Amino acid sequence: SAHCYCPSNIKRSAVGMISVQIINDMEKSTDLDNQWLKTTCKNILNDKGHDTASIFIICSNDEKLRQLKKKYFREDVLTDVITFNLEEKGDPIEGEIYISLNRVSENAKEFKQNDEIELKRVIIHGCLHLLGYDDQTPEEKKEMTWLENKYLKQSVILNQI
């Protein structure tokens, strides 16, 4: 697809391997802990029975995500995260998580949270979307928020070890 960041010559994930890569699509980069990123994504996928996956997390800006939202969802709105599942049905998870660092920063201010925690929440949210979770109804939103909090708490514990 046109939005795909993963070069087509990258081999599909080997069985039993979860690959998570972060790509900065703008000057402002993130200093996200790579170990946290890999461990948390792996835990989310493992908990849902996936031991093989390839995930690209693209940190971008409002304008890029707005363009993607218009093109693929026919909505002209600002959003913090957009996910694309690229795998064929029945194949291991392969996806892209696009994140607007502008939105993450605005959300952090709005919810009186620091940027790093908000970025982690959005990454967890994106992983859940790749697994098929949705947030269209209040019930779905509630379940996703509960799972986000669960994985955020786990990551706090991980960082203290």
Side-chain angles (χ1 to χ4, degrees), residues 133-151:
Y133 285 91
D134 217 336
D135 53 3
Q136 298 301 307
T137 69
E139 293 79 26
E140 290 171 337
K141 267 195 176 101
K142 193 173 168 185
E143 182 180 19
M144 279 190 89
T145 302
W146 184 86
L147 287 166
E148 288 163 19
N149 290 333
K150 171 187 164 182
Y151 290 110

Side-chain angles (χ1 to χ4, degrees), residues 17-143:
M17 187 181 115
I18 292 177
S19 160
V20 182
Q21 292 183 45
I22 195 155
I23 297 163
N24 284 304
D25 188 26
M26 51 192 287
E27 300 78 43
K28 182 188 174 192
S29 69
T30 57
D31 49 355
L32 195 62
D33 175 4
N34 240 348
Q35 192 55 50
W36 174 88
L37 187 68
K38 288 179 175 15
T39 303
T40 302
C41 292
K42 188 174 187 285
N43 287 344
I44 293 168
L45 290 158
N46 286 168
D47 286 353
K48 296 297 161 203
H50 297 272
D51 67 350
T52 306
S54 180
I55 298 173
F56 288 82
I57 297 168
I58 300 96
C59 291
S60 195
N61 57 33
D62 275 349
E63 196 45 47
K64 174 73 174 180
L65 269 77
R66 189 175 183 179
Q67 288 170 3
L68 290 171
K69 195 79 170 167
K70 260 176 155 162
K71 183 173 181 178
Y72 294 99
F73 302 91
R74 290 176 177 68
E75 292 177 41
D76 188 4
V77 294
L78 294 174
T79 187
D80 51 3
V81 62
I82 297 176
T83 59
F84 293 100
N85 284 78
L86 306 173
E87 75 276 0
E88 299 294 323
K89 194 165 173 56
D91 282 353
I93 298 279
E94 186 179 335
E96 296 172 340
I97 301 172
Y98 286 81
I99 295 171
S100 166
L101 295 179
N102 307 117
R103 277 309 91 214
V104 167
S105 200
E106 288 299 314
N107 289 350
K109 282 186 194 106
E110 187 182 330
F111 299 116
K112 296 174 180 40
Q113 188 61 264
N114 76 43
D115 283 16
E116 185 188 358
I117 297 289
E118 188 59 25
L119 179 59
K120 286 178 174 182
R121 177 179 295 282
V122 170
I123 288 170
I124 291 166
H125 188 87
C127 284
L128 293 169
H129 272 313
L130 289 178
L131 287 168
Y133 285 91
D134 217 336
D135 53 3
Q136 298 301 307
T137 69
E139 293 79 26
E140 290 171 337
K141 267 195 176 101
K142 193 173 168 185
E143 182 180 19

